[in-house]
Amino acid sequence: MKLLFSGCLLLAYILPGNNILAQDAETGFTKSDFYSAMSGSKEEALNKQLDLVAGAPAAERDAYEGALLMKKAGIIAGTKKKLDMFKSGHKKLEAAIQKDSSNTEFRFLRLMIQEHVPGILGYKSEMDKDRLYIKNNFKKLPSVVQEAVREYSKESKILKPADL
């Protein structure tokens, strides 16, 4: 029985999309740690994820880095530094979405940022579209991302648990 359980656990860890931690063994990047940092407001956690995101799959790297930079822009000091960091992150995330507009996770990253960014930055125009896209494609997301979306929806004013 123990052997069967261990085998199932190992299989769940190895299969793509079912990886419990979604971790890259070489770099230490995990989606669960990434979303933990994104849900907090600690600069050191964001910096650590910025270092680790270099090991994320190439197709996802710009989206993760862009979201982290925009999140970090909201907590650092200095207006010019904030704006420059936000613009840099914005370019990366939007480029990733433009390359893969059907990626629900990227739409979720954008929604998380849009909901909390000051209106003066003019980065709120896709919130309703992203909410609907996430709602319609939620079940296709990897389980670790589904959990992040569920947790986020508990506090969100845009994306509600009933949407999922």
Side-chain angles (χ1 to χ4, degrees):
M1 188 66 158
K2 285 183 184 178
L3 184 58
L4 179 62
F5 177 74
S6 298
C8 289
L9 189 59
L10 180 62
L11 188 59
Y13 184 76
I14 292 172
L15 290 175
N18 290 327
N19 184 335
I20 294 167
L21 298 177
Q23 178 172 1
D24 182 313
E26 292 180 22
T27 65
F29 175 79
T30 68
K31 288 187 180 189
S32 58
D33 288 345
F34 169 82
Y35 283 108
S36 178
M38 287 294 292
S39 69
S41 58
K42 295 187 179 188
E43 186 176 356
E44 60 272 9
L46 295 170
N47 287 337
K48 180 179 179 182
Q49 289 305 307
L50 280 166
D51 289 341
L52 293 175
V53 80
E60 299 173 342
R61 188 176 307 129
D62 281 349
Y64 294 142
E65 187 175 359
L68 286 164
L69 288 171
M70 288 189 283
K71 173 76 176 180
K72 184 177 173 181
I75 61 173
I76 62 171
T79 305
K80 182 172 177 6
K81 193 173 176 182
K82 283 176 172 278
L83 188 56
D84 289 345
M85 186 172 291
F86 181 85
K87 286 179 179 180
S88 173
H90 176 265
K91 283 181 186 177
K92 287 177 180 282
L93 180 57
E94 288 302 319
I97 292 170
Q98 189 171 22
K99 284 181 192 172
D100 188 1
S101 63
S102 64
N103 189 310
T104 306
E105 184 177 12
F106 295 176
R107 301 282 194 101
F108 172 58
L109 293 174
R110 180 167 66 185
L111 179 71
M112 288 177 15
I113 299 299
Q114 289 181 110
E115 187 169 3
H116 295 98
V117 73
I120 195 166
L121 293 174
Y123 193 57
K124 294 189 178 270
S125 63
E126 301 296 324
M127 282 195 304
D128 288 330
K129 288 179 187 175
D130 288 343
R131 183 188 65 79
L132 287 173
Y133 198 85
I134 293 163
K135 176 183 176 180
N136 293 333
N137 294 284
F138 175 76
K139 290 185 175 23
K140 297 176 188 173
L141 288 167
S143 60
V144 69
V145 180
Q146 284 184 9
E147 184 58 29
V149 173
R150 274 189 207 97
E151 286 302 311
Y152 181 80
S153 72
K154 292 176 184 176
E155 304 295 324
S156 175
K157 293 179 179 156
I158 302 299
L159 185 65
K160 299 295 182 188
D163 291 335
L164 309 176

